[in-house]
Amino acid sequence: QVQLVESGGGLVQAGGSLRLSCAASGRTFSSSRYTMGWFRQAPGKEREFVAAISRSGVSTYYADSVKGRFTISRDNAKNMMYLQMNSLKPEDTAVYYCAAGPTRSSGTRIDEYEYWGQGTQVTVSS
């Protein structure tokens, strides 16, 4: 069984920064075999793509709404993934989920992912 656990969420003022972490574990889990991504869901809205990173970490993809402000990265040796969020806006408020999937595509779609974390709350005040 694969487990993904997010951390690093919290309350921050607009313009501030947060760094989310995602720790992956499992008896046979090797993060280098999975595309990993971040998604978010605001109250009353559908879950949406935020960022994804390829198995090697060479390729990254971002939603237009976060491009230039968020940076996704991973450390396969530690089975960790990160999301550095800068210049946060109130509209970034949501529960953020990390996900892992065997896809060899960009990883921008929910259905590409097999494993999901429980989420971490990010609240940006104006």
Side-chain angles (χ1 to χ4, degrees):
Q1 187 73 7
V2 174
Q3 287 188 323
L4 301 177
V5 179
E6 304 94 338
S7 62
L11 173 64
V12 64
Q13 288 188 332
S17 299
L18 282 175
R19 188 193 193 207
L20 304 184
S21 298
C22 174
S25 63
R27 192 168 63 87
T28 60
F29 183 83
S30 174
S31 65
S32 61
R33 294 163 57 186
Y34 294 87
T35 292
M36 298 191 75
W38 288 98
F39 289 75
R40 66 187 182 186
Q41 188 166 17
K45 296 188 177 181
E46 293 186 350
R47 191 169 299 189
E48 65 176 5
F49 168 74
V50 175
I53 188 166
S54 64
R55 299 172 182 215
S56 65
V58 169
S59 298
T60 57
Y61 306 88
Y62 296 94
D64 288 343
S65 59
V66 307
K67 204 170 293 184
R69 300 188 297 122
F70 292 9
T71 302
I72 189 172
S73 61
R74 66 189 298 166
D75 183 340
N76 286 341
K78 298 180 179 179
N79 283 345
M80 294 290 295
M81 179 178 64
Y82 307 97
L83 185 68
Q84 178 66 43
M85 304 187 296
N86 298 329
S87 302
L88 282 161
K89 305 175 180 180
E91 51 264 44
D92 293 319
T93 295
V95 177
Y96 283 69
Y97 299 90
C98 71
T103 180
R104 292 189 180 273
S105 183
S106 61
T108 60
R109 302 192 322 270
I110 289 175
D111 64 3
E112 294 183 270
Y113 292 91
E114 186 173 350
Y115 303 107
W116 292 85
Q118 293 300 307
T120 185
Q121 177 71 47
V122 171
T123 303
V124 184
S125 63
S126 57

